[in-house]
Amino acid sequence: MSRLGIRTRLTVLYGVLFLLGGTILLGVTYFLVKQNIHQRNTGSVAELPAEIKIGNMEVSEFVRQLQARQEQIESNTLHALLTQGAIALGVVTVIGVGFGWLMAERALRPVGRITETARRVAGGSLHERIALKGPADEIKELADTFDSMLERLDAAFDGQRRFVANASHELRTPLTINRTLIEVAMGRPAPPPELVHLGETLLAVNARHERLIDGLLTLVASEQALTVHETVDVAEIARHVTAGKVGTASLEAAVTVGDPVLLERVVQNLVDNAVAYNVPDGEVWVRTRTTGSRAELVVENTGPVVPAYEVPRLFEPFRRLRSRTGSAQGTGLGLSIVRSVAVAHGGRVDARPRDGGGLIVTVTLPTQN
């Protein structure tokens, strides 16, 4: 059963209160009119002289008939008051409910603005502000508080992104120097085998650190507002990325708008993960298609069994399954980057375990308008 919206509830409340107030007013009016008519009729009858005779009719009979006539008039008057008053109350209540519906919409309009802003902020745009104009009431106070919270969050996230970007850039220089020194040492004439083995190990460690820094920089870039809005066919990107890596691909047109470099990184990360975290002689399937107003990319593999409760952890930075730790020299940022890029493009990522082992990861993006 669907819940009633606050506008509907307010309108119903206005209507009930209006009907209740009108009913009380009609009841009080009925009581006052009845008392007034009764007093007037009683007084007029009591003032008749006892010696009055009308033809052969005695005074007592005349008074009795007069009282009966007055009671009938009183009853008809009160009945007409109730009937016509109830009809008028019903008509006015319907009109009042209509005005209540309009007034509720006007009163809740600022709340709608707050909701729209919160929805855009949830999509990754912390630069949005409500900037509500109007009297200094509770709703404006709420909007101003929300704006103040967004400013603090925006400043905090910007500081975090700048720190990660600066730290990553600073770490690149010593890694480049290390790689150069190791390659020079290994390039000497007739190096001893121990030196070659040590150099290869150090180069592998250095390369992993470089991939980690590249991943951090990509993650920072994906969490910022998009500055590139180009028409991109995800199927073309998948066709380029899967060449020579994936044997099973069903690539239908899936056109979206966004940053081609970041979208290519999404496909690259998913395909690399599906190939790296797989069983021997396993398979990888890549599919793209357009469903309604959404472009979809689906990457599926025959990897090890993944518990369903562990799937959400895979999208957290540096969080991997225990069985995957150390596998494929990964950095633990692949799926985090995929989710961040998808959210920045107005999409989402869903993952679920595959029957028999492996994962099915679905990236959904809005299609081109």
Side-chain angles (χ1 to χ4, degrees):
M1 181 178 179
S2 60
R3 291 165 43 183
L4 295 178
I6 187 171
R7 183 181 180 186
T8 303
R9 295 200 299 271
L10 284 176
T11 303
V12 172
L13 178 61
Y14 295 156
V16 170
L17 291 177
F18 191 89
L19 181 61
L20 180 61
T23 303
I24 294 175
L25 178 61
L26 181 60
V28 171
T29 303
Y30 177 85
F31 175 77
L32 293 177
V33 171
K34 181 178 181 179
Q35 289 294 108
N36 185 270
I37 294 176
H38 182 71
Q39 290 176 0
R40 289 177 178 272
N41 292 341
T42 303
S44 61
V45 173
E47 293 172 358
L48 290 175
E51 62 273 10
I52 292 180
K53 292 184 179 181
I54 302 175
N56 296 327
M57 184 180 299
E58 295 181 356
V59 174
S60 58
E61 180 65 20
F62 175 78
V63 170
R64 188 184 62 79
Q65 293 184 8
L66 181 59
Q67 288 179 339
R69 180 61 177 173
Q70 288 175 341
E71 290 175 358
Q72 182 65 34
I73 294 175
E74 178 181 350
S75 176
N76 293 340
T77 301
L78 294 176
H79 182 268
L81 174 64
L82 281 179
T83 303
Q84 298 178 13
I87 294 174
L89 178 60
V91 173
V92 175
T93 300
V94 172
I95 297 175
V97 168
F99 277 107
W101 177 262
L102 297 177
M103 294 305 296
E105 188 276 334
R106 182 180 180 84
L108 294 174
R109 193 176 300 165
V111 179
R113 287 185 56 184
I114 296 175
T115 303
E116 292 175 1
T117 303
R119 187 177 293 113
R120 290 194 295 269
V121 169
S125 178
L126 287 174
H127 302 292
E128 294 283 347
R129 297 293 182 272
I130 301 173
L132 185 65
K133 305 296 182 182
D137 54 12
E138 290 81 358
I139 294 182
K140 189 175 189 304
E141 182 179 358
L142 173 62
D144 292 342
T145 303
F146 191 79
D147 284 344
S148 177
M149 179 190 66
L150 288 180
E151 290 178 1
R152 292 194 296 270
L153 286 175
D154 194 13
F157 276 92
D158 281 343
Q160 180 185 19
R161 284 191 289 262
R162 285 195 300 270
F163 172 78
V164 174
N166 293 336
S168 300
H169 282 297
E170 290 295 327
L171 289 173
R172 271 186 166 183
T173 301
L175 287 176
T176 303
I177 295 174
N178 289 343
R179 186 178 69 251
T180 302
L181 293 176
I182 295 171
E183 290 174 348
V184 170
M186 294 178 62
R188 292 177 180 178
E194 295 82 0
L195 178 62
V196 174
H197 178 70
L198 177 62
E200 292 175 349
T201 303
L202 292 176
L203 284 177
V205 173
N206 202 83
R208 186 179 186 280
H209 289 164
E210 289 179 344
R211 290 196 300 271
L212 175 60
I213 291 175
D214 288 339
L216 287 173
L217 290 174
T218 304
L219 184 61
V220 171
S222 65
E223 290 180 345
Q224 297 176 350
L226 292 179
T227 57
V228 180
H229 299 83
E230 298 181 6
T231 301
V232 182
D233 189 352
V234 180
E236 291 298 327
I237 295 178
R239 188 171 291 109
H240 170 73
V241 171
T242 58
K245 293 184 179 180
V246 178
T248 305
S250 175
L251 305 178
E252 302 177 7
V255 181
T256 186
V257 175
D259 190 329
V261 176
L262 292 178
L263 292 174
E264 182 177 356
R265 189 61 180 267
V266 167
V267 181
Q268 185 75 53
N269 285 2
L270 290 179
V271 172
D272 287 347
N273 277 2
V275 172
Y277 301 111
N278 209 332
V279 295
D281 300 325
E283 294 187 62
V284 176
W285 297 271
V286 179
R287 298 186 296 274
T288 60
R289 62 185 179 184
T290 300
T291 304
S293 60
R294 313 295 286 182
E296 289 186 357
L297 165 68
V298 182
V299 179
E300 179 180 355
N301 73 336
T302 55
V305 176
V306 180
Y309 62 86
E310 293 277 12
V311 172
R313 297 178 60 248
L314 299 178
F315 291 92
E316 300 178 11
F318 308 111
R319 299 292 295 273
R320 288 168 288 181
L321 296 176
R322 296 182 182 89
S323 60
R324 289 187 168 199
T325 303
S327 301
Q329 306 298 320
T331 62
L333 292 174
L335 292 180
S336 300
I337 293 173
V338 169
R339 182 179 62 180
S340 182
V341 172
V343 172
H345 284 76
R348 69 176 189 273
V349 181
D350 300 306
R352 59 183 176 88
R354 178 180 174 274
D355 294 339
L359 276 179
I360 302 175
V361 183
T362 303
V363 179
T364 307
L365 301 168
T367 57
Q368 181 183 12
N369 294 328

